[in-house]
């Protein structure tokens, strides 16, 4: 556990999101055993870690989609234990699911503007206009707006889901593998988009990715999840001199090293 | 409790029969409790704002309108078969002339709502369970939550309300078509006079016959949609889980329809409805 969990007052004072000692098991399988994580407003945190180590589970615990067995989630300094606190958290949060999770009974624009239509009470005309704007940010043309989600390619679905996550200008955004399945040009555009969300809107972002180019571009800080804990956390600039064999192995993508697949 | 069960069984190879009974009973009670909580939450969402009108109308179309052919076909054949049976049975004590009366009574009070309910348990309950189940395993329900929308409001309540409202309408259709089925057989092959048949039917049937059937229909509608939503919501583990949810929804809805039908009938008999 490298020191840097409280990295100076460059960002907001109290973390907008904080996970303390979160444990989660599925049956006999212990996935998270004591995750501590915090992110401040205006900060972009990237979580890396091997496949199946529980990165997606971590952010689902943060959003209350999974109930931690032990440990607590704080949002804006307050414990998100009550229903009301969790509602407040979700209202100010956007989430990009790893699999997209688009509503297949709705059209693309209705998916993108879902929160506007059903939560914020925006009219359908206005909502569609804003959906088309959000689609443009992820490099999708207005002609996609009226398609069904089943008519989209995998990468297009991912981008529609991304547009849905950011349209309501949330204060905290979770991106679960935003660039997987995208061509390098679109991936770069998506990275720019994430940076813009954080820099221009002052949002906090928690991104899960395996893409080191993406890490270098969007991360202020990097945290590595391994065997149910955050084993290293530090500024993105330090990942090449982290002094951690785990990080080194991950950054250089070597099969040989301390990280071995659980067999 | 659940996770320790396999280990307990492994330590004591010959499981104590009382343990087994106890475990089964507890599991059944837990399931009943879960169903009750789920149904309570959904029914509360049905009667408190906000109602998603667009979703509701879409479900009315899907559950009600598109079920017309199924219940229509069921009704015409059942009405016809019923007339034949009553005719041959009635002829044993020279009571053939009661065919129209008994056909309309049987259809409006019992066969209309029960058969429409059972047909829709197959068509609608399975459909809802599969759709919701697919949404569950593809994380669409989680996505809904992150967008601050409660699935019981946006997904379940519109389906339940639509089923409660459209099932009685479908049963009115079933009643009419069922009587027509009896009429066609009676006039076509049993030498009844058409005018007399319809007049007898019309004079015999009471408001109570119709209303009791419609109350049953509304209850069956609630059961069908709630069961589909409940099993869909609980499904996990990919396509297999979704298939299992659909099966469980149909079986559960059918059993509950028949059981509640008996309970309601005995209440109606007691209060004279
Ligand atoms: N609903 C669930 N039920 C049972 N086990 C689960 C469930 N969700 C996740 N797991 C288990 O938890 C572990 C972590 O899963 P998770 O999806 O968080 O991995 P991940 O780190 O996001 O991996 P990837 O990079 O491949 O997406 C996996 O081993 C998985 O088997
Ligand atoms: Mg994942």
């Amino acid at each position: 556990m490298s020191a840097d969990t409280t990295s100076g007052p460059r960002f907001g004072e109290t973390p907008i999101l904080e996970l303390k000692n979160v444990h989660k098991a599925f049956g006999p399988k212990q996935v998270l055993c004591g995750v501590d994580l915090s992110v401040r407003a205006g900060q972009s945190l990237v979580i890396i870690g091997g496949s199946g180590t529980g990165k997606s589970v971590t952010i689902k615990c943060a959003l209350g989609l999974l109930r931690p067995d032990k440990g607590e989630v704080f949002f804006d300094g307050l414990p998100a234990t009550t229903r009301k606190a969790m509602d407040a958290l979700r209202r100010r949060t956007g989430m990009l699911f790893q699999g997209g999770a688009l509503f297949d009974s709705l059209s693309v624009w209705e998916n993108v503007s879902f929160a506007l239509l059903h939560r914020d009470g925006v009219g359908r005309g206005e909502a569609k206009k804003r959906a088309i704007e959000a689609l443009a940010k992820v490099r999708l043309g207005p002609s996609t707006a009226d398609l069904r989600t089943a008519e989209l390619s995998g990468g297009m679905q991912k981008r529609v889901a991304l547009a849905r996550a950011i349209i309501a200008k949330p204060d905290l955004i979770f991106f679960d593998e935003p660039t997987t399945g995208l061509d390098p040009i679109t991936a770069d555009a998506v990275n720019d988009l994430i940076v813009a969300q954080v820099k221009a809107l002052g949002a906090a972002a928690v991104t899960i990715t395996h893409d080191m180019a993406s890490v270098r571009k969007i991360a202020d800080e990097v945290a590595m999840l391994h065997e149910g804990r955050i084993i290293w956390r530090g500024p993105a600039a330090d990942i090449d001199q982290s002094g951690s064999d785990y990080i080194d192995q991950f950054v250089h993508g070597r099969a040989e090293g301390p990280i071995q697949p659980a067999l | 409790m659940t996770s320790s069960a396999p280990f307990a069984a492994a330590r004591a190879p010959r499981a104590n029969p009382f343990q087994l009974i106890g475990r089964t009973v507890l599991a059944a009670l837990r399931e009943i409790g879960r169903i009750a909580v789920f149904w309570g939450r959904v029914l509360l969402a049905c009667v408190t704002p906000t109602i998603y009108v667009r979703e509701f109308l879409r479900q009315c179309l899907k559950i009600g309108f598109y079920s017309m052919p199924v219940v229509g076909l069921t009704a015409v054949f059942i009405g016809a078969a019923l007339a034949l049976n009553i005719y041959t049975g009635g002829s044993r004590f020279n009571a053939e002339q009661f065919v129209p009366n008994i056909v309309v009574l049987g259809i409006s009070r019992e066969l209309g709502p029960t058969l429409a309910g059972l047909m829709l348990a197959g068509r609608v309950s399975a459909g809802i369970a599969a759709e919701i189940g697919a949404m569950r395993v593809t994380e669409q329900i989680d996505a809904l939550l992150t967008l601050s929308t409660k699935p019981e409001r946006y997904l379940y309540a519109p389906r339940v309300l639509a089923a409660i409202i459209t099932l009685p309408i479908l049963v009115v259709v079933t009643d009419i078509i069922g009587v027509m089925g009896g009429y066609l057989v009676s006039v076509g092959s049993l030498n009844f006079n058409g005018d007399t048949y319809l007049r007898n039917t019309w004079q015999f049937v009471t408001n109570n016959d119709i209303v009791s059937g419609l109350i049953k229909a509304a209850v069956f509608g609630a059961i069908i949609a709630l069961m589909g939503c409940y099993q869909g919501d609980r499904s996990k583990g990919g396509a297999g889980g979704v298939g299992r949810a659909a099966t469980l929804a149909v079986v559960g809805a059918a059993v509950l329809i028949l059981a509640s039908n008996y309970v309601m009938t005995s209440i109606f008999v007691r209060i004279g409805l």
Side-chain angles (χ1 to χ4, degrees):
Chain A
M1 171 132 269
S2 179
D4 240 326
T5 15
T6 49
S7 77
R10 183 153 72 89
F11 307 104
E13 272 306 322
T14 46
I16 185 162
L17 177 80
E18 192 167 17
L19 271 62
K20 278 189 186 158
N21 195 28
V22 168
H23 288 66
K24 180 73 195 171
F26 294 101
K29 180 171 183 166
Q30 191 70 39
V31 177
L32 303 181
C33 28
V35 169
D36 294 298
L37 206 62
S38 67
V39 56
R40 290 155 201 278
Q43 187 179 35
S44 171
L45 173 71
V46 169
I47 303 177
I48 59 174
S51 187
T53 46
K55 303 180 296 298
S56 299
V57 169
T58 304
I59 58 179
K60 282 184 194 164
C61 285
L63 276 162
L65 299 174
L66 291 171
R67 185 192 292 269
D69 301 329
K70 206 172 120 190
E72 274 181 303
V73 176
F74 293 85
F75 182 72
D76 245 358
L78 300 169
T81 37
T82 62
R83 223 192 151 98
K84 218 171 132 206
M86 193 47 84
D87 283 349
L89 185 160
R90 287 178 184 158
R91 230 188 324 274
R92 293 174 52 197
T93 306
M95 163 82 183
L96 166 68
F97 284 84
Q98 192 169 358
L102 295 176
F103 305 125
D104 41 31
S105 60
L106 301 179
S107 67
V108 165
W109 80 263
E110 285 171 316
N111 263 283
V112 172
S113 58
F114 194 92
L116 302 182
L117 283 170
H118 297 296
R119 189 184 65 197
D120 305 341
V122 175
R124 289 176 74 79
E126 167 74 11
K128 185 166 184 179
K129 212 180 93 223
R130 283 172 64 182
I132 290 174
E133 285 166 17
L135 286 169
K137 287 188 192 161
V138 292
R139 298 187 146 218
L140 287 170
S143 58
T144 42
D146 287 307
L147 297 178
R148 299 263 128 194
T149 59
E151 296 170 300
L152 303 178
S153 76
M156 288 164 90
Q157 290 186 6
K158 195 92 191 209
R159 284 182 279 158
V160 171
L162 188 64
R164 182 175 72 180
I166 60 165
I167 192 169
K169 301 197 169 60
D171 297 329
L172 170 64
I173 323 176
F174 295 100
F175 299 103
D176 196 344
E177 305 201 7
T179 55
T180 358
L182 301 184
D183 64 83
I185 300 167
T186 316
D188 197 52
V190 165
N191 288 335
D192 286 340
L193 180 70
I194 294 173
V195 173
Q197 289 295 314
V198 177
K199 293 285 170 291
L201 300 175
V206 178
T207 310
I208 295 172
T209 186
H210 297 298
D211 174 0
M212 290 320 289
S214 201
V215 173
R216 290 175 205 282
K217 185 145 191 181
I218 64 179
D220 294 319
E221 288 205 15
V222 178
M224 176 150 189
L225 186 66
H226 182 66
E227 291 182 343
R229 284 195 185 81
I230 301 293
I231 54 161
W232 187 85
R233 174 167 175 160
D238 290 358
I239 50 171
D240 293 313
Q241 314 92 36
S242 61
S244 159
D245 293 343
Y246 293 89
I247 294 282
D248 276 350
Q249 188 190 351
F250 203 88
V251 169
H252 298 113
R254 288 190 295 256
E256 301 301 315
I259 307 174
Q260 289 301 324
L263 294 176
Chain B
M1 173 82 218
T2 15
S3 61
S4 72
F7 299 110
R11 243 182 279 122
R14 259 195 270 148
N16 181 343
F18 290 108
Q19 249 177 20
L20 212 72
I21 295 169
R23 210 175 290 147
T24 315
V25 170
L26 281 181
L29 287 177
R30 240 198 318 267
E31 179 74 5
I32 291 170
R34 268 199 296 261
I35 292 183
V37 169
F38 182 88
W39 287 23
R41 266 194 6 236
V42 176
L43 290 174
L44 186 70
C46 286
V47 294
T48 49
T50 354
I51 307 288
Y52 290 91
V53 178
R54 236 187 144 75
E55 279 301 298
F56 166 72
L57 294 177
R58 193 154 74 178
Q59 294 304 326
C60 283
L61 198 68
K62 231 166 124 176
I63 296 174
F65 188 70
Y66 294 138
S67 296
M68 292 264 179
V70 181
V71 297
L73 278 174
T74 315
V76 72
F77 289 123
I78 284 295
L82 192 61
L84 279 179
N85 269 322
I86 294 166
Y87 184 81
T88 44
S91 67
R92 288 183 216 155
F93 36 93
N94 296 323
E96 299 96 327
Q97 73 274 23
F98 291 122
V99 168
N101 314 27
I102 302 182
V103 165
V104 72
L105 187 75
I107 296 229
S108 64
R109 277 195 174 261
E110 196 62 54
L111 291 174
T114 326
L115 286 176
L118 289 177
M119 294 306 284
L120 290 205
R123 187 182 176 278
V124 173
S125 235
I128 292 179
E131 188 185 5
I132 305 278
M135 293 185 77
R136 168 62 78 192
V137 299
T138 55
E139 301 184 321
Q140 290 178 49
I141 295 192
D142 286 342
L144 209 55
L145 287 170
T146 64
L147 294 164
S148 304
T149 305
K150 295 196 174 77
E152 57 261 36
R153 275 198 189 287
Y154 182 74
L155 292 176
Y156 309 150
R159 283 167 173 74
V160 172
L161 281 176
I164 290 177
I165 287 166
T166 55
L167 226 80
I169 298 173
L170 285 172
V171 164
V172 169
V173 175
T174 312
D175 289 354
I176 294 170
I177 296 180
V179 167
M180 285 324 289
Y183 169 89
L184 288 177
V185 168
S186 304
V187 172
S189 59
L190 303 176
N191 294 322
F192 275 78
N193 175 293
D195 288 341
T196 327
Y197 187 100
L198 288 184
R199 199 171 332 108
N200 276 353
T201 301
W202 197 244
Q203 280 172 354
F204 181 74
V205 70
T206 65
N207 277 344
N208 281 357
D209 296 335
I210 305 289
V211 168
S212 66
L214 297 188
I215 295 175
K216 284 182 177 179
V219 173
F220 297 163
I223 290 175
I224 286 167
L226 283 168
M227 211 60 197
C229 291
Y230 172 74
Q231 295 295 353
D233 187 79
R234 270 173 57 76
S235 62
K236 47 175 161 276
V242 175
R244 198 160 45 245
T247 311
L248 288 175
V250 174
V251 174
V255 171
L256 280 180
I257 283 173
L258 294 175
S260 66
N261 177 55
Y262 170 72
V263 172
M264 281 189 283
T265 307
S266 55
I267 293 175
F268 293 161
V269 167
R270 187 157 315 153
I271 65 174
L273 185 69

CSV table of all heavy atoms in Angstrom, one decimal, chain A residues 50-57 59-60 97-99 176-177 208 210, chain B residues 139, ligand 2:
chain,number,residue,atom,x,y,z
A,50,GLY,N,-6.0,-6.5,-13.0
A,50,GLY,CA,-6.3,-7.6,-13.9
A,50,GLY,C,-7.7,-7.9,-14.1
A,50,GLY,O,-8.6,-7.4,-13.3
A,51,SER,N,-8.0,-8.6,-15.1
A,51,SER,CA,-9.4,-9.0,-15.4
A,51,SER,C,-10.0,-9.8,-14.3
A,51,SER,O,-9.3,-10.8,-13.8
A,51,SER,CB,-9.4,-9.7,-16.7
A,51,SER,OG,-10.8,-9.9,-17.1
A,52,GLY,N,-11.1,-9.5,-13.8
A,52,GLY,CA,-11.8,-10.3,-12.8
A,52,GLY,C,-11.3,-10.0,-11.4
A,52,GLY,O,-11.6,-10.7,-10.4
A,53,THR,N,-10.6,-8.9,-11.2
A,53,THR,CA,-10.1,-8.5,-9.8
A,53,THR,C,-11.2,-7.8,-9.0
A,53,THR,O,-11.0,-7.6,-7.8
A,53,THR,CB,-8.9,-7.7,-9.8
A,53,THR,OG1,-9.1,-6.6,-10.8
A,53,THR,CG2,-7.6,-8.5,-10.2
A,54,GLY,N,-12.3,-7.4,-9.7
A,54,GLY,CA,-13.3,-6.7,-8.9
A,54,GLY,C,-13.4,-5.2,-9.1
A,54,GLY,O,-14.0,-4.5,-8.3
A,55,LYS,N,-12.9,-4.7,-10.3
A,55,LYS,CA,-13.0,-3.3,-10.5
A,55,LYS,C,-14.5,-2.9,-10.7
A,55,LYS,O,-15.0,-1.9,-10.1
A,55,LYS,CB,-12.2,-2.9,-11.8
A,55,LYS,CG,-10.7,-3.3,-11.6
A,55,LYS,CD,-9.9,-3.0,-12.9
A,55,LYS,CE,-10.3,-3.7,-14.1
A,55,LYS,NZ,-10.2,-5.2,-14.1
A,56,SER,N,-15.2,-3.6,-11.6
A,56,SER,CA,-16.6,-3.3,-11.8
A,56,SER,C,-17.4,-3.5,-10.5
A,56,SER,O,-18.3,-2.6,-10.2
A,56,SER,CB,-17.2,-4.2,-12.9
A,56,SER,OG,-16.5,-4.0,-14.1
A,57,VAL,N,-17.1,-4.5,-9.7
A,57,VAL,CA,-17.8,-4.7,-8.5
A,57,VAL,C,-17.6,-3.5,-7.5
A,57,VAL,O,-18.5,-3.0,-6.9
A,57,VAL,CB,-17.3,-6.0,-7.8
A,57,VAL,CG1,-17.8,-6.1,-6.4
A,57,VAL,CG2,-17.8,-7.2,-8.6
A,59,ILE,N,-17.1,-0.3,-8.3
A,59,ILE,CA,-18.0,0.9,-8.6
A,59,ILE,C,-19.4,0.5,-8.4
A,59,ILE,O,-20.2,1.4,-8.1
A,59,ILE,CB,-17.6,1.6,-9.9
A,59,ILE,CG1,-17.8,0.6,-11.1
A,59,ILE,CG2,-16.3,2.2,-9.9
A,59,ILE,CD1,-17.5,1.3,-12.4
A,60,LYS,N,-19.8,-0.7,-8.6
A,60,LYS,CA,-21.2,-1.1,-8.3
A,60,LYS,C,-21.5,-0.9,-6.8
A,60,LYS,O,-22.6,-0.6,-6.4
A,60,LYS,CB,-21.5,-2.5,-8.8
A,60,LYS,CG,-21.7,-2.5,-10.3
A,60,LYS,CD,-22.1,-3.9,-10.8
A,60,LYS,CE,-22.0,-3.9,-12.3
A,60,LYS,NZ,-22.0,-5.3,-12.7
A,97,PHE,N,-21.8,1.7,-18.1
A,97,PHE,CA,-21.6,0.3,-17.8
A,97,PHE,C,-20.7,-0.3,-18.8
A,97,PHE,O,-20.7,0.0,-20.0
A,97,PHE,CB,-23.0,-0.4,-17.8
A,97,PHE,CG,-23.8,-0.1,-16.6
A,97,PHE,CD1,-24.6,1.0,-16.5
A,97,PHE,CD2,-23.8,-1.0,-15.5
A,97,PHE,CE1,-25.3,1.3,-15.4
A,97,PHE,CE2,-24.5,-0.7,-14.4
A,97,PHE,CZ,-25.3,0.4,-14.3
A,98,GLN,N,-20.0,-1.3,-18.3
A,98,GLN,CA,-19.0,-2.0,-19.2
A,98,GLN,C,-19.7,-2.6,-20.4
A,98,GLN,O,-19.2,-2.5,-21.5
A,98,GLN,CB,-18.4,-3.2,-18.4
A,98,GLN,CG,-17.2,-3.8,-19.0
A,98,GLN,CD,-16.4,-4.7,-18.1
A,98,GLN,OE1,-16.7,-4.9,-17.0
A,98,GLN,NE2,-15.4,-5.3,-18.7
A,99,GLY,N,-20.9,-3.1,-20.2
A,99,GLY,CA,-21.6,-3.7,-21.3
A,99,GLY,C,-22.6,-2.7,-22.0
A,99,GLY,O,-23.4,-3.1,-22.8
A,176,ASP,N,-16.8,2.6,-17.0
A,176,ASP,CA,-16.3,1.3,-16.9
A,176,ASP,C,-15.8,0.9,-18.3
A,176,ASP,O,-16.6,0.5,-19.2
A,176,ASP,CB,-17.3,0.3,-16.4
A,176,ASP,CG,-16.7,-1.0,-15.9
A,176,ASP,OD1,-15.6,-1.3,-16.3
A,176,ASP,OD2,-17.4,-1.8,-15.2
A,177,GLU,N,-14.5,0.9,-18.5
A,177,GLU,CA,-13.9,0.6,-19.8
A,177,GLU,C,-14.5,1.4,-20.9
A,177,GLU,O,-15.1,0.8,-21.8
A,177,GLU,CB,-13.9,-0.9,-20.0
A,177,GLU,CG,-13.3,-1.7,-18.9
A,177,GLU,CD,-12.9,-3.1,-19.2
A,177,GLU,OE1,-12.9,-3.5,-20.4
A,177,GLU,OE2,-12.5,-3.8,-18.3
A,208,ILE,N,-12.3,3.0,-15.2
A,208,ILE,CA,-11.7,1.7,-15.2
A,208,ILE,C,-11.2,1.5,-16.6
A,208,ILE,O,-11.9,1.7,-17.6
A,208,ILE,CB,-12.7,0.6,-14.9
A,208,ILE,CG1,-13.1,0.7,-13.4
A,208,ILE,CG2,-12.0,-0.8,-15.1
A,208,ILE,CD1,-14.3,-0.2,-13.1
A,210,HIS,N,-8.1,-0.8,-19.2
A,210,HIS,CA,-6.9,-1.6,-19.4
A,210,HIS,C,-5.9,-1.0,-20.4
A,210,HIS,O,-4.9,-1.5,-20.8
A,210,HIS,CB,-7.3,-3.0,-20.0
A,210,HIS,CG,-8.1,-3.8,-19.1
A,210,HIS,ND1,-7.7,-4.2,-17.8
A,210,HIS,CD2,-9.4,-4.3,-19.2
A,210,HIS,CE1,-8.7,-4.8,-17.3
A,210,HIS,NE2,-9.7,-4.9,-18.1
B,139,GLU,N,-27.9,-5.8,-17.2
B,139,GLU,CA,-27.7,-4.6,-16.4
B,139,GLU,C,-28.6,-3.4,-16.7
B,139,GLU,O,-28.3,-2.3,-16.2
B,139,GLU,CB,-26.2,-4.2,-16.4
B,139,GLU,CG,-25.3,-5.3,-15.9
B,139,GLU,CD,-23.9,-4.9,-15.8
B,139,GLU,OE1,-23.4,-4.2,-16.7
B,139,GLU,OE2,-23.2,-5.4,-14.9
C,2,LIG,MG1,-15.3,-5.1,-15.3
